[in-house]
């Protein structure tokens, strides 16, 4: 019993973050951290829509999510099926009709994106996403993925 108490105490103090730097990102639990989402096929925009395409920062990069401004949804491929989730929240100043932080839920999944967006000279009706994260939670577990992408409008 004493051994279990010592182990629990060591784990609790190690997980508190303390002065050792920033808290670590959540670890993947039972989802393949390398390929938790399948590649999403090419997506089309209707006239008047703005879409955000996100690629997982892998070699080679894979398109894993597509966010629409209207209707406010995200598309992912999990378990061989295209899943469409409704946006439940957004935070931050929108750039090209997309907020930098957005949350989506439904179909036993939740996705949160947190991206840095940049408008660049010469880029019309769009923006660059040089970095960000996509956090996926499902019945299989959770994982945080590094992403980059583009926003474009039609």
């Amino acid at each position: 019993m004493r051994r279990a108490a010592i182990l629990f105490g060591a784990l609790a103090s190690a997980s508190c973050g303390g002065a050792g730097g920033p808290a670590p990102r959540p670890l993947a639990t039972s989802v393949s951290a390398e390929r938790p989402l399948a590649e999403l096929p090419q997506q089309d925009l209707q006239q008047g829509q703005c879409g955000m395409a996100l690629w997982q920062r892998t070699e080679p990069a894979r398109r894993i999510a597509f966010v629409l401004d209207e209707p406010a949804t995200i598309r992912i491929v999990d378990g061989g099926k295209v899943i469409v989730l409704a946006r439940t929240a957004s935070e931050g100043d929108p750039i090209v009709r997309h907020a930098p932080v957005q949350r989506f839920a439904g179909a036993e999944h939740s996705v949160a994106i947190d991206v840095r967006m940049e408008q660049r000279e010469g880029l019309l009706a769009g923006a660059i996403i040089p970095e960000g994260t996509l956090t996926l939670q499902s019945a299989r577990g959770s994982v945080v993925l590094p992403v980059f992408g583009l926003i474009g409008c039609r």
Side-chain angles (χ1 to χ4, degrees):
M1 185 56 120
R2 177 173 158 77
R3 181 185 251 172
I6 292 171
L7 178 59
F8 178 77
L11 288 173
S13 65
S15 67
C16 289
R25 291 211 179 260
L27 296 175
T29 56
S30 72
V31 173
S32 168
E34 193 173 306
R35 291 192 179 266
L37 293 174
E39 186 159 14
L40 189 64
Q42 182 175 334
Q43 303 292 300
D44 293 320
L45 288 174
Q46 301 300 316
Q47 191 65 35
Q49 285 183 317
C50 290
M52 175 191 294
L54 296 173
W55 284 264
Q56 184 177 356
R57 198 171 286 282
T58 56
E59 197 56 49
R62 297 177 314 109
R63 184 179 40 247
I64 60 168
F66 190 72
V67 181
L68 283 175
D69 66 324
E70 251 337 291
T73 57
I74 190 169
R75 294 178 191 159
I76 58 173
V77 176
D78 191 25
K81 297 180 197 169
V82 175
I83 298 170
V84 180
L85 306 173
R87 185 170 62 208
T88 58
S90 63
E91 300 171 26
D93 295 328
I95 294 180
V96 195
R97 301 188 338 217
H98 283 280
V101 176
Q102 299 182 53
R103 291 178 186 78
F104 306 86
E108 299 181 8
H109 290 76
S110 68
V111 173
I113 61 169
D114 186 351
V115 297
R116 183 168 60 88
M117 301 180 286
E118 297 177 0
Q119 288 186 297
R120 295 192 179 161
E121 189 176 327
L123 183 61
L124 303 175
I128 303 292
I129 300 168
E131 63 185 2
T133 58
L134 181 148
T135 304
L136 167 68
Q137 294 183 335
S138 71
R140 297 182 322 167
S142 64
V143 65
V144 177
L145 304 170
V147 295
F148 66 96
L150 296 169
I151 299 173
C153 298
R154 181 166 185 203

